[in-house]
């Protein structure tokens, strides 16, 4: 296999090999898999859920930006040149040093994490841009990331703004899943459905020249999933 990787030691006997362009934090996720005792129902949409159009970098504050530049593509997974002159990309901290102390803290530099950018639009509203899957034609339809520094009882809105499919169960009220470390330690229950006010819709067409290249934030698609969520614990 000619795909360039680096090795991360998990134990003396176990190693993981990651694509060379990826950053990986040392913390490992540890999950329990206890299931909720009650049936988790869909949210029942009434048609009046907010359909907020993405605001973008001009109106938001960047609170997380992880860019894993890939030398490979859907058409050639081995890259253009694997023999000479290859240098790994410069690693940058995705969290700004001057981030506000009350901002949510995002992280996705772990196995299967795929958050690329988070913009803080208001104190409680965040726009999220996913990184398309590696070695695909910008496939982008699922999400996995970590959030910290939240306040219990505060209603946050999240809009994931670059899904690829024109339709989704989220449009019918399917809730995203949330894993609370404090809840898992207290009750033994891991992933649970959470949130309300789900809305899945297409972004309004942006005015731009036809020859203008698609920016990285737009990669993956033009569909938005927006929802409201209250976290059960402070700083979980």
């Amino acid at each position: 296999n000619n795909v360039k990787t680096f090795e991360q030691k998990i134990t003396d006997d176990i190693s993981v090999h990651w694509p060379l362009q990826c950053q990986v934090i040392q913390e490992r996720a540890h999950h329990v898999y206890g299931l909720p005792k009650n049936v988790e129902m869909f949210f029942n949409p009434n048609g009046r859920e907010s359909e907020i159009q993405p605001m973008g970098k001009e109106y938001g504050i960047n609170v997380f930006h992880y860019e894993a530049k890939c030398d490979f593509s859907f058409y050639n997974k081995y890259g253009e040149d694997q023999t000479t002159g290859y240098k790994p990309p410069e690693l940058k901290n995705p969290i700004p040093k001057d981030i506000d102390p009350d901002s949510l803290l995002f992280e996705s530099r772990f196995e299967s994490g795929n958050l690329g950018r988070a913009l803080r639009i208001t104190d409680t509203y965040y726009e999220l841009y996913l990184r398309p899957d590696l070695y695909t034609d910008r496939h982008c339809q699922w999400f996995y990331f970590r959030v910290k520094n939240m306040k219990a009882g505060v209603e946050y809105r999240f809009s994931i703004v670059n899904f690829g499919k024109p339709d989704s169960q989220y449009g019918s009220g399917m809730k995203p899943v949330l894993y609370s470390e404090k809840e898992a330690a207290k009750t033994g229950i891991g992933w649970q459905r959470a949130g309300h006010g789900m809305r899945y819709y297409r972004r309004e067409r942006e005015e731009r020249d036809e020859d203008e290249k698609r920016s990285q934030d737009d990669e993956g698609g033009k569909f938005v999933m927006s929802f409201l969520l209250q976290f059960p614990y402070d700083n979980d």
Side-chain angles (χ1 to χ4, degrees), residues 117-141:
R117 183 193 297 271
L119 298 177
R120 190 183 191 188
I121 306 300
T122 70
D123 289 350
T124 59
Y125 174 40
Y126 293 81
E127 269 183 16
L128 309 179
Y129 296 79
L130 305 178
R131 290 185 293 108
D133 294 348
L134 294 176
Y135 319 133
T136 71
D137 190 17
R138 296 186 296 274
H139 180 269
C140 195
Q141 194 60 33

Side-chain angles (χ1 to χ4, degrees), residues 4-221:
K4 289 185 176 291
T5 63
F6 68 91
E7 181 180 18
Q8 183 186 35
K9 295 286 288 185
I10 304 300
T11 67
D12 291 340
D13 301 321
I14 301 175
S15 297
V16 177
H17 289 263
W18 302 94
L20 195 62
Q21 67 273 23
C22 292
Q23 297 184 47
V24 183
I25 60 175
Q26 293 299 316
E27 303 171 58
R28 295 190 66 204
H30 296 281
H31 295 149
V32 299
Y33 295 97
L35 298 177
K37 296 179 180 179
N38 300 320
V39 175
E40 297 181 301
M41 304 299 292
F42 271 37
F43 167 74
N44 187 20
N46 57 26
R48 296 192 295 272
E49 290 75 29
S50 297
E51 194 169 295
I52 302 173
Q53 292 300 317
M55 305 291 290
K57 291 178 287 186
E58 293 183 2
Y59 299 96
I61 299 172
N62 181 60
V63 294
F64 180 85
H65 186 199
Y66 169 41
E67 184 178 14
K69 291 186 176 180
C70 183
D71 293 324
F72 317 122
S73 69
F74 177 75
Y75 305 101
N76 178 13
K77 69 176 181 179
Y78 298 114
E80 297 179 358
D81 184 2
Q82 295 291 312
T83 57
T84 60
Y86 183 87
K87 293 182 180 180
E90 180 183 355
L91 302 183
K92 298 180 180 179
N93 188 346
I95 302 175
K97 295 180 179 180
D98 58 349
I99 191 170
D100 290 338
D102 63 341
S103 173
L104 295 181
L105 302 178
F106 294 85
E107 182 59 87
S108 67
R109 294 172 297 166
F110 45 77
E111 184 176 1
S112 297
N114 68 338
L115 180 65
R117 183 193 297 271
L119 298 177
R120 190 183 191 188
I121 306 300
T122 70
D123 289 350
T124 59
Y125 174 40
Y126 293 81
E127 269 183 16
L128 309 179
Y129 296 79
L130 305 178
R131 290 185 293 108
D133 294 348
L134 294 176
Y135 319 133
T136 71
D137 190 17
R138 296 186 296 274
H139 180 269
C140 195
Q141 194 60 33
W142 57 277
F143 55 95
Y144 182 37
F145 55 88
R146 186 181 75 189
V147 183
K148 286 187 174 183
N149 204 39
M150 69 286 289
K151 297 295 183 183
V154 174
E155 190 166 72
Y156 295 92
R157 176 176 289 278
F158 299 96
S159 290
I160 301 174
V161 302
N162 62 331
F163 277 128
K165 291 183 178 180
D167 196 11
S168 170
Q169 290 279 357
Y170 293 118
S172 300
M174 184 176 73
K175 300 178 181 180
V177 288
L178 172 72
Y179 187 97
S180 165
E181 291 184 342
K182 292 184 178 180
E183 183 72 15
K186 181 179 179 181
T187 66
I189 296 176
W191 294 101
Q192 301 182 68
R193 297 283 174 182
H196 67 99
M198 290 77 198
R199 184 81 168 186
Y200 193 89
Y201 51 97
R202 182 179 176 86
R203 292 157 57 171
E204 291 181 358
R205 186 169 182 173
E206 301 173 6
E207 295 297 330
R208 62 175 64 187
D209 295 331
E210 292 184 1
D211 295 335
E212 183 180 353
K213 293 183 178 180
R214 179 189 296 180
S215 69
Q216 181 171 359
D217 285 347
D218 291 338
E219 284 189 344

